[in-house]
Structure formats: C-alpha cells, structure tokens
Amino acid sequence: MKIALMDSGIGLLAATAAVRRLRPDADLVLSLDPDGMPWGPRTPEDLTTRALAVAEAAAARGPEALIVGCNTATVHALPALRARLEPAVPVIGTVPAIKPAAAGGGHVAIWATPATTGSPYQRNLIRDFADGVPVAEVPCWGLAEAVERADEEEIDAAVAAAAELTPEDVTTVVLGCTHYELVAERIRAAVQRPGRPPLALHGSAGAVAAQALRRIGAGPAPDAPAHGTVTVLLSGREGVLPAPALAYPEGRLLQAVSPAR
C-alpha cells in the first residue's frame, strides 16, 4: 500500500502521522513545495498551478491515494487536482471539522488563517454544518508561519494573540489549518478558562486518514509490521524532511526512515 500526501510545507505532518498510526505498513510519499511556499498569499490560479505540480510529482511515484494536507489548497485546487488525477488516484481534501464540532451544541471558535477567516468558503461551511450554533471566526495571524519554522517564541505569541480574540464562553475549537494540529495542546492551554469544562479540540487529520483508507478499500491495521517507507519530495526533487519537522512528535515519528536535513 502506498499513500501520498501533499502541502507546501510541514502542515501535512498531522495527517501523515495519522496514516502511519492506522497503517504502519503503508509506504508514504510526502510531496512538499519549498520553492513555492507559502501558498496562502498566492492567487487561486497560481496556487492551483503549484499544487498540480506537487501532486503530479507525488502521482509519479504510484500511490493508491493522494491526501491534500492543506486547507487552502483544498479550497482552491481540489477540483483541478481531481480532474487531473482521478479516477486513477483518489484525491482526498482537508475540510475544517465544523460539523462534528457543532454537534456538541456549545459555542464554537474556528481558528483559521486570516485569508480563510470570513471567507465565503468558511461561511458556507458554517451555514451548512453549524446552523443554530454560535460560531466565532478567529484569525490566527502568523501562526502557520511560526509553526512551519518551529519558532517557539513566535508560536507562543501567535497562540496568545488568537486566544485573546476567542470568546470566553467557547467550549470547542476547530483547528482550521493543518499546521495548528501540530501545536494543539498549546492552543488548548491558551484557550482553556479556569473553572470551565475541558475544552474540546477538533482537527481533521484522523478523519482524512480514515477517508483515504476507505477510498482505496482498505481498513485500519495499527498492529501491522512497521515496515512502511517514507519518500520526501521537495518541489519534485527527492530529499529529506525539513529540519523544523523534528520539533514535533509527528515529524519524529517519521525520522527513522527519513532523517531531517
């Protein structure tokens, strides 16, 4: 079994780790775009061009499925990626977990990049899946970039700034950018209010990994032999994990087969 994942940077680590835990026997292809990152400030057309190139580099390695481990790329490039690769390679996008978060019925906050916050895409998800539930959209200035660099001080500052914008009565936080899942516990600690019930966090990595397995007709096998390989592509060139990946448990999980540069 071979599964590919793509993103401009290390935001794909959360979904990669989720796939690894479900199927430690699966070979993984991680296709990043250091030459073109970050994708967020790019126009939709330019982002789609970059995403297609990264996806085609991964597809050339013969995966059975491709996970788009990036919310922004899913928003802008998913139709083009599916048109180019499917049905030969199923393409699985990453969508903020608004529906399961809203099911709890409490006040929900969606932490997302400034470009996504308030966007028609996110507003449509709120309308479709959170009707009747109070939702606060929280822009997280600089958080994805700080996580990408594993800059501890900048991560703490960005998390604290977003926590200040989060209403006091929030019971659930949706992590609307894949990078944020790498610092989920820092976010929990910053938003948790004294004397209130434990905060619920909703990321997308587990659901995306499970959906990829369903699309290829496979099931979880967490006890399978851990002999799956990892291939890292950097703007189409074979390489190794960027060094900041090792700041996170999800990156260290892959280090044995792909040492950081």
Side-chain angles (χ1 to χ4, degrees), residues 6-73:
M6 60 171 280
D7 189 4
S8 63
I10 63 173
L12 53 63
L13 285 179
T16 303
V19 174
R20 172 61 87 208
R21 293 185 183 107
L22 289 175
R23 291 301 301 247
D25 57 334
D27 294 334
L28 303 176
V29 177
L30 312 186
S31 191
L32 288 69
D33 188 26
D35 293 355
M37 68 176 299
W39 283 350
R42 293 181 176 275
T43 65
E45 296 77 16
D46 190 20
L47 187 156
T48 298
T49 298
R50 302 293 313 186
L52 283 169
V54 168
E56 288 177 338
R61 300 299 178 117
E64 295 171 58
L66 171 68
I67 293 172
V68 184
C70 173
N71 296 89
T72 302

Side-chain angles (χ1 to χ4, degrees), residues 45-112:
E45 296 77 16
D46 190 20
L47 187 156
T48 298
T49 298
R50 302 293 313 186
L52 283 169
V54 168
E56 288 177 338
R61 300 299 178 117
E64 295 171 58
L66 171 68
I67 293 172
V68 184
C70 173
N71 296 89
T72 302
T74 298
V75 172
H76 296 299
L78 189 61
L81 291 169
R82 285 179 167 163
R84 183 72 58 88
L85 298 179
E86 291 188 342
V89 181
V91 180
I92 297 90
T94 299
V95 177
I98 295 173
K99 185 175 181 179
H107 193 166
V108 175
I110 304 173
W111 282 35

